[in-house]
Amino acid sequence: HIIIIKTILRMKNFFVIIFSFLLISCGLEHNKVDDAVAICWEAQQTDKNPTIDFDKAFDFEWDSLRFYSVGCSLEDINRDLGFPLTEYTDLAGRMVFLNHGKPAYITGWWYNTEKPSGTTIGCNGSVFKTDRKHAKFRIQKRGNLYILWPQQR
């Protein structure tokens, strides 16, 4: 009976470790845009005009970028994209990287107006579109918020 009890305790410990690992790994999904912008900012923050070139910043294939600010409705976004973006609400800013018209990477930010954080694109209007070749931005940091200003073409 002692052998059975020891075996059960080992299995219990094994399942606790596996379950803990799964919980931790699910919570570690990073926002690739925030990560890339923060790395560029840290490397260039003493420069007069720190910049990021999205063409060189990511490990996924994409050919165009769309940014939808917080004020853009999910209905308008879905109409613009041509496919439904169902996992988001109207209360978030989003970046959608496309590859041949299909989603390559999607990320979003739910802004707290009292303590803004994350990344946004400083653009006129609620939608910003560019291709990979022209996805170059000047980085400005205000508190915990990175503002990306499109560079002139």
Side-chain angles (χ1 to χ4, degrees), residues 19-66:
F19 184 71
S20 299
F21 174 67
L22 289 173
L23 283 177
I24 290 169
S25 64
C26 288
L28 291 178
E29 185 176 321
H30 293 285
N31 180 315
K32 293 180 181 186
V33 173
D34 285 347
D35 290 349
V37 171
I39 288 168
C40 283
W41 173 260
E42 290 300 320
Q44 304 175 49
Q45 66 181 322
T46 57
D47 294 356
K48 184 177 179 183
N49 289 309
T51 59
I52 185 167
D53 183 350
F54 275 14
D55 182 36
K56 298 172 178 77
F58 304 110
D59 62 353
F60 52 87
E61 287 298 316
W62 64 280
D63 54 26
S64 63
L65 166 68
R66 311 267 173 98

Side-chain angles (χ1 to χ4, degrees), residues 49-120:
N49 289 309
T51 59
I52 185 167
D53 183 350
F54 275 14
D55 182 36
K56 298 172 178 77
F58 304 110
D59 62 353
F60 52 87
E61 287 298 316
W62 64 280
D63 54 26
S64 63
L65 166 68
R66 311 267 173 98
F67 174 77
Y68 303 99
S69 70
V70 173
C72 201
S73 76
L74 191 56
E75 181 179 295
D76 290 339
I77 293 168
N78 289 342
R79 186 176 18 259
D80 183 61
L81 289 171
F83 58 84
L85 205 74
T86 56
E87 64 272 10
Y88 289 98
T89 67
D90 284 344
L91 303 175
R94 297 161 203 83
M95 256 185 223
V96 180
F97 292 84
L98 301 169
N99 194 30
H100 303 292
K102 295 189 167 98
Y105 179 73
I106 301 171
T107 193
W109 299 268
W110 287 262
Y111 293 114
N112 175 344
T113 54
E114 293 176 16
K115 292 183 179 181
S117 64
T119 304
T120 189

